[in-house]
Amino acid sequence: MLYPFKNIADIPVFNKIQASELIKHLTDNLNALTTIETDHKVIDLKQEDDYFIIDNEYSAKAILVASGNGAFKPKKFPINMTEEAEKHVHYFVKDPKIFENQNIGIFGGGDSALDWALELSNIANTSLIHRRNEFRGLETSINKLKNLKNVEIYTPYLPKTVEFIDNKLNIGLKKVGSDQMINREFDQIIVAYGFKANNLFVKKWGVELEGSHIKVNSEMTTNLPGIYAVGDAITYPGRVPIIGVGFGEAQIAINSIMRKLFPNKTLTIHSTSL
Ligand SMILES: Cc1cc2nc3c(=O)[nH]c(=O)nc-3n(C[C@H](O)[C@H](O)[C@H](O)COP(=O)(O)OP(=O)(O)OC[C@H]3O[C@@H](n4cnc5c(N)ncnc54)[C@H](O)[C@@H]3O)c2cc1C
């Protein structure tokens, strides 16, 4: 959802692979017993006999939470504008082609903003606007961007005004710490101010958090028997938030679940057999 066209790094075997392609490989490899339900925000959990009941709809003997940083909503661009102008404001980039040969403003200073600026610089003129001189994203990405001719970097600037003229967004940018204003015109803008997200829904179930992450032991078990967690949702000393680490944690969790559900079965140690 966040970066379907991005070339993902650090997936073993692939030098690089586009996110949408990785997802296709994963879904193609699901077995026939697996079903996927989308557009369902999980909220409620109760226990009946040996089963967990999720939102009064699904029952399961074990639960594996892989909720990342939680169900998220993008932080909005801070200036109100007309409905027509809003159509030129994007919070996700599903199809980069819609930006081809245009002037694109990208607001934000983290990895998402830098990744989008880099990707779109192949097909459009991009301007990166951030409220601080320092970026939170990877230094290598910043250095690449600084060397590109069709990328302009504006720091430290904050958007203050928007006018929608001739199908373009004319944005007034204020230099932080001074009264200086400049105006820049964009065909479209991408807002990468991060997301409002949390995993508090599992806290209501009694799952122990550390900060906003779920505490697990080395078997990916939470404090509640039968509830396991993996991926960016969890924390333990030394965890790194990358996809490959999550894949490994899922294999550990599946083994833990199998041992709990089928204690008399001998599990093969060379594959999860699932
Ligand atoms: C810009 C950017 C670039 C990145 N690049 C790379 C890279 O190149 N290589 C790499 O290895 N990693 C990269 N990462 C990190 C990687 O995206 C994460 O580590 C990974 O996505 C975590 O996977 P996850 O399944 O734990 O969580 P997520 O991918 O966040 O998935 C969690 C899912 O759970 C859903 N969810 C949450 N709460 C609920 C609920 N209550 N009910 C139902 N659904 C819910 C969410 O909507 C989401 O779909 C990048 C991250 C960012 C932000």
Side-chain angles (χ1 to χ4, degrees):
M1 181 156 177
L2 276 185
Y3 48 78
F5 68 88
K6 191 198 146 176
N7 280 318
I8 304 185
D10 297 319
I11 303 294
V13 177
F14 298 100
N15 272 347
K16 59 178 185 183
I17 179 167
Q18 213 173 42
S20 54
E21 204 189 325
L22 176 66
I23 289 168
K24 189 171 178 315
H25 280 295
L26 292 169
T27 46
D28 284 353
N29 277 287
L30 290 176
N31 69 25
L33 296 173
T34 311
T35 55
I36 298 182
E37 302 281 339
T38 54
D39 282 332
H40 182 119
K41 184 175 175 183
V42 174
I43 295 172
D44 184 50
L45 185 80
K46 52 180 180 262
Q47 251 178 308
E48 276 175 20
D49 305 324
D50 273 1
Y51 283 88
F52 293 105
I53 311 291
I54 304 152
D55 293 339
N56 288 325
E57 263 187 69
Y58 308 100
S59 65
K61 281 202 160 179
I63 289 193
L64 179 51
V65 181
S67 53
N69 290 313
F72 50 76
K73 279 196 186 134
K75 286 187 192 156
K76 291 288 214 180
F77 196 63
I79 304 161
N80 289 332
M81 52 185 107
T82 62
E83 221 172 281
E84 212 37 47
E86 283 275 4
K87 289 182 188 156
H88 295 243
V89 181
H90 303 263
Y91 294 93
F92 300 103
V93 179
K94 293 233 161 89
D95 179 9
K97 284 200 189 87
I98 65 164
F99 301 107
E100 221 159 26
N101 300 323
Q102 298 186 357
N103 284 324
I104 310 299
I106 298 172
F107 291 82
D111 279 319
S112 297
L114 300 180
D115 279 351
W116 283 334
L118 274 175
E119 292 286 342
L120 294 181
S121 67
N122 295 319
I123 55 165
N125 292 315
T126 56
S127 299
L128 187 61
I129 301 122
H130 181 42
R131 69 195 157 118
R132 295 206 185 95
N133 284 323
E134 303 77 35
F135 286 87
R136 273 178 293 113
L138 278 179
E139 207 176 322
T140 45
S141 303
I142 300 156
N143 291 339
K144 272 191 213 157
L145 284 167
K146 281 183 179 161
N147 289 320
L148 291 173
K149 286 203 176 78
N150 59 341
V151 177
E152 308 242 20
I153 298 178
Y154 296 98
T155 62
Y157 280 96
L158 274 172
K160 285 289 166 191
T161 57
V162 177
E163 282 186 289
F164 189 56
I165 308 164
D166 293 337
N167 223 22
K168 289 180 196 301
L169 297 166
N170 187 305
I171 303 197
L173 300 171
K174 181 179 178 294
K175 188 159 195 179
V176 174
S178 85
D179 293 332
Q180 188 202 330
M181 287 286 293
I182 55 172
N183 279 69
R184 288 295 175 270
E185 201 175 69
F186 301 113
D187 296 293
Q188 322 220 38
I189 64 168
I190 296 168
V191 181
Y193 283 160
F195 296 90
K196 288 185 205 153
N198 64 59
N199 276 313
L200 294 180
F201 72 106
V202 295
K203 195 175 180 190
K204 288 192 191 130
W205 304 347
V207 172
E208 194 183 340
L209 299 185
E210 189 174 305
S212 55
H213 292 95
I214 300 169
K215 249 176 114 165
V216 293
N217 64 15
S218 58
E219 297 192 346
M220 305 300 130
T221 314
T222 68
N223 60 310
L224 297 183
I227 302 187
Y228 302 76
V230 294
D232 283 9
I234 66 171
T235 185
Y236 52 78
R239 184 172 197 275
V240 184
I242 58 174
I243 296 165
V245 170
F247 286 163
E249 290 161 349
Q251 289 172 315
I252 295 172
I254 293 295
N255 271 292
S256 306
I257 292 170
M258 295 294 281
R259 274 198 298 275
K260 180 173 160 57
L261 296 185
F262 307 103
N264 297 326
K265 235 182 162 171
T266 313
L267 295 175
T268 159
I269 48 166
H270 297 304
S271 115
T272 60
S273 329
L274 281 184

